[in-house]
């Protein structure tokens, strides 16, 4: 498996924001979103270490941290991901996968981690590659994250929240594109449309550290 970095930090977003987690970042992605903040991990010449599932498991266990976030890039592109999930889910670790919405989740639902799934809105330039069937597979512990950069993005997210009744079967977050939209604009939109059970999240790690710093 192509691992570009492993580190312990706090979860900067999501249902466990502020909690410690071990992050395993894998190389490569099948999208190129306009606002991607880890594009370096998707480049062909990005350095990486080849690690097997058992090696990754042992490094995570050695950290003493229970929360695990598998991220990228797009982690579900790794050929041995099912084997890694099988190992991780035999422990008491709390395993989350951050996935981009452009990989089918159905084949990962038998031995199931928690999914945090992005939905790429218009400003991403990748909305046409979203697999809408994934919306039907999300459960109570899962999250849909709408990364919002424009007013058009907010309107598109609203349509999806209502059409798939997302707030009644998973967590729903709005996350502003850093530097592109003011959080207050998102809050005003939430109030205007009475969006109960939708949460605004600010990427905490970008407030604590430099927004471009790696390994945090």
């Amino acid at each position: 498996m192509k691992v570009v970095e492993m580190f312990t930090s706090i979860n900067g977003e999501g249902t466990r924001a502020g909690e410690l987690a071990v992050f395993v970042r894998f190389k490569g992605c099948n999208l190129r979103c306009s606002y991607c903040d880890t594009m370096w991990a998707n480049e062909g010449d990005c350095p990486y270490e080849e690690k097997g599932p058992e090696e990754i498991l042992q490094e995570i266990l050695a950290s003493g941290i229970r929360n695990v976030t598998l991220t990228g890039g797009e982690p579900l592109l790794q050929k041995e991901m099912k084997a890694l999930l099988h190992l991780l889910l035999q422990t008491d670790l709390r395993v989350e996968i951050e996935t981009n919405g452009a990989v089918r989740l159905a084949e990962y639902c038998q031995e199931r981690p928690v999914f945090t799934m992005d939905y790429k809105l218009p400003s991403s330039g990748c909305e046409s590659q979203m697999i809408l069937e994934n919306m039907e597979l999300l459960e109570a512990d899962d999250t849909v994250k709408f990364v919002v950069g424009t007013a058009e993005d907010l309107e598109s997210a609203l349509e999806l929240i209502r059409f798939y009744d997302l707030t009644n079967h998973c967590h729903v977050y709005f996350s502003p594109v850093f530097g592109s939209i003011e959080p207050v604009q998102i809050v005003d939109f939430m109030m205007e449309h009475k969006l109960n059970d939708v949460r605004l999240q600010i990427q905490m790690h970008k407030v604590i550290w430099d927004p471009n710093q790696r390994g945090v």
Side-chain angles (χ1 to χ4, degrees):
M1 306 182 81
K2 297 178 179 180
V3 178
V4 297
E5 60 178 356
M6 288 183 65
F7 59 92
T8 297
S9 184
I10 59 160
N11 261 314
E13 50 193 335
T15 59
R16 295 193 177 277
E19 294 186 22
L20 290 174
V22 178
F23 290 82
V24 185
R25 187 180 307 284
F26 295 96
K27 178 179 177 175
C29 190
N30 54 341
L31 301 179
R32 294 186 74 85
C33 298
S34 62
Y35 48 73
C36 181
D37 56 6
T38 55
M39 189 66 74
W40 60 271
N42 306 332
E43 302 296 348
D45 60 355
C46 174
Y48 66 91
E49 287 187 69
E50 192 70 45
K51 297 188 178 188
E54 182 65 37
E55 182 180 358
I56 294 171
L57 170 66
Q58 293 307 318
E59 289 189 34
I60 292 170
L61 293 175
S63 74
I65 305 300
R66 288 187 62 198
N67 294 327
V68 179
T69 298
L70 308 178
T71 189
E74 170 50 61
L76 294 181
L77 297 179
Q78 298 294 315
K79 293 180 180 179
E80 293 186 273
M81 183 53 66
K82 286 184 181 179
L84 176 59
L85 288 174
H86 175 75
L87 292 175
L88 294 175
L89 294 172
Q90 305 309 306
T91 71
D92 64 350
L93 297 170
R94 296 182 292 222
V95 183
E96 171 196 14
I97 285 189
E98 293 184 338
T99 182
N100 64 17
V103 176
R104 295 188 184 279
L105 299 185
E107 62 181 288
Y108 297 95
C109 288
Q110 187 170 4
E111 289 188 286
R112 202 179 192 288
V114 170
F115 294 115
T116 294
M117 189 187 79
D118 282 12
Y119 182 90
K120 307 304 181 187
L121 295 164
S123 72
S124 72
C126 294
E127 188 174 24
S128 64
Q129 297 182 64
M130 294 297 92
I131 298 174
L132 291 172
E133 292 88 344
N134 287 339
M135 294 289 196
E136 307 288 353
L137 300 174
L138 299 173
E139 297 180 354
D141 289 337
D142 299 326
T143 295
V144 174
K145 180 174 69 174
F146 292 106
V147 181
V148 176
T150 64
E152 181 188 9
D153 285 350
L154 286 167
E155 294 290 346
S156 294
L158 178 62
E159 290 182 17
L160 290 157
I161 290 166
R162 289 176 170 169
F163 184 83
Y164 290 101
D165 194 25
L166 291 176
T167 54
N168 283 318
H169 68 270
C170 66
H171 302 285
V172 179
Y173 285 83
F174 283 156
S175 184
V177 176
F178 194 79
S180 294
I181 190 171
E182 291 299 324
V184 67
Q185 185 176 346
I186 299 175
V187 175
D188 288 343
F189 183 86
M190 292 166 66
M191 291 193 294
E192 177 187 354
H193 295 281
K194 299 178 175 57
L195 290 180
N196 294 301
D197 301 315
V198 174
R199 302 177 186 178
L200 170 67
Q201 66 175 13
I202 307 296
Q203 291 177 296
M204 192 181 300
H205 53 290
K206 292 188 177 181
V207 176
I208 298 173
W209 295 283
D210 183 287
N212 297 312
Q213 186 167 335
R214 298 183 189 178
V216 295

